[in-house]
Amino acid sequence: MPCWADSPAPPGAAAPQPIRMRALMLNLRRPFFADRRVREAMLISFDFEWIDRTLYDGRLRRIASYFPDSDFAAHGPPTDGEVALLDPFRDQLPPEVFKIAFTPPRTDGSGDEGIRYHLRRAMAQLDASGWVVQDGRLADGKTGTPFAFEILLHDQRDMRLVLPFARVLKRLGIVATVHVLGDAAYRTRRDRFDFDMILDDWAMPASPTGEPRACWGSATADTPGSCNYPGIESPVVDALTAAMADAKDPVQRLDAAHALDRVLTRGYYVIPLYSLAGQ
């Protein structure tokens, strides 16, 4: 399902070229992904550089935006217009939103040694959020419940993307199992939000004129079949998607999109992978 409501192209104009953001999407409806620090630990633990170098011959291009390859992607520090939109929510946002635009953490692609520093950072975030190691397994410090979850796929070829991730998580004491379903069964579970993590994508026109609230607004978080796959419920995201949809001119729209991109990327709702332009 496209993230943006389709808008007809003007007569004689070409239809907008779609941009697809591919990502591992975390289901915030699951208690273990409700904490932003846990979601950041997931992001930190994904060794994109090793996977790309070893399994894809360096052919993948990592994305760092919900609007990859478009003018709507945030870059550098926020402009005055972006700050004006973000400032009323400063006490609800991490400080990073007001600094340089998000860039995924990078390793040197060497594997075990290259990811070691990142795993220390990830473990610190997990420890801060109440997870402890018990007999080699990560568990909730209060309930003792093991940290175990399922990664759901609909394409067997994506196994080589996620199995290395599952192996890295095992070093943290996290058990991540990977299951591949047929398209119909996968769509049923995805559309009912019956998953822990999925590998999927959001499709959007390169020049969005539709409704951004469709996939990231609180109103769709519990609507079966919506493309708010992570279950994002944020008053800040709601305000920024409304500002983007209601913008009176291109400058306002860009400011709102950039501010929204900063908030979404720093919410760690997904682990961004790569874009699929024109597909």
Side-chain angles (χ1 to χ4, degrees):
M1 177 184 292
C3 181
W4 299 87
D6 292 331
S7 299
Q17 189 80 338
I19 298 294
R20 291 168 59 192
M21 177 199 190
R22 221 165 180 231
L24 283 163
M25 303 184 182
L26 288 62
N27 189 350
L28 275 65
R29 304 168 190 88
R30 300 294 200 252
F32 43 81
F33 288 145
D35 193 310
R36 177 178 175 271
R37 294 167 296 187
V38 173
R39 300 196 299 272
E40 184 179 13
M42 295 294 107
L43 170 72
I44 293 170
S45 302
F46 191 88
D47 194 347
F48 182 91
E49 286 69 36
W50 183 88
I51 292 170
D52 183 31
R53 180 182 67 83
T54 307
L55 304 177
Y56 291 88
D57 299 321
R59 291 180 286 108
L60 301 183
R61 184 170 56 85
R62 189 93 190 255
I63 57 174
S65 170
Y66 278 62
F67 306 102
D69 304 310
S70 82
D71 292 339
F72 291 84
H75 296 284
T79 64
D80 290 344
E82 294 170 51
V83 172
L85 291 167
L86 294 167
D87 212 40
F89 307 101
R90 188 176 288 268
D91 62 343
Q92 302 177 48
L93 293 170
E96 294 85 356
V97 168
F98 295 89
K99 299 178 182 178
I100 298 298
F102 168 78
T103 301
R106 292 182 58 87
T107 71
D108 61 8
S110 63
D112 289 348
E113 286 301 316
I115 194 69
R116 191 183 302 276
Y117 165 74
H118 294 72
L119 292 185
R120 286 198 296 266
R121 288 180 55 208
M123 185 57 78
Q125 291 293 71
L126 292 165
D127 180 71
S129 56
W131 293 91
V132 297
V133 178
Q134 298 178 351
D135 300 323
R137 296 279 298 273
L138 200 67
D140 187 302
K142 293 181 179 178
T143 66
T145 303
F147 197 147
F149 69 93
E150 176 190 57
I151 304 174
L152 201 62
L153 306 175
H154 61 94
D155 190 331
Q156 185 76 26
R157 292 172 295 181
D158 289 330
M159 292 282 282
R160 62 178 179 166
L161 262 174
V162 298
L163 286 179
F165 180 43
R167 286 195 293 269
V168 169
L169 291 177
K170 188 176 181 180
R171 294 173 60 180
L172 294 171
I174 298 171
V175 176
T177 56
V178 182
H179 290 141
V180 182
L181 299 179
D183 284 344
Y186 172 84
R187 284 196 300 270
T188 296
R189 287 191 57 181
R190 182 196 64 186
D191 293 349
R192 293 176 180 174
F193 310 129
D194 181 19
F195 63 87
D196 301 326
M197 183 184 289
I198 55 174
L199 199 165
D200 216 300
D201 58 81
W202 279 306
M204 59 202 79
S207 299
T209 56
E211 179 51 82
R213 286 169 282 206
C215 279
W216 305 318
S218 299
T220 63
D222 295 315
T223 303
S226 85
C227 53
N228 189 346
Y229 305 135
I232 300 170
E233 294 186 80
S234 163
V236 185
V237 171
D238 291 345
L240 294 174
T241 54
M244 191 174 176
D246 299 338
K248 304 301 182 184
D249 58 59
V251 174
Q252 288 184 2
R253 182 180 290 274
L254 280 174
D255 282 341
H258 294 161
L260 175 62
D261 198 24
R262 295 178 192 278
V263 171
L264 289 171
T265 52
R266 291 298 183 179
Y268 306 129
Y269 305 117
V270 307
I271 300 172
L273 298 175
Y274 53 90
S275 62
L276 298 169
Q279 296 184 21

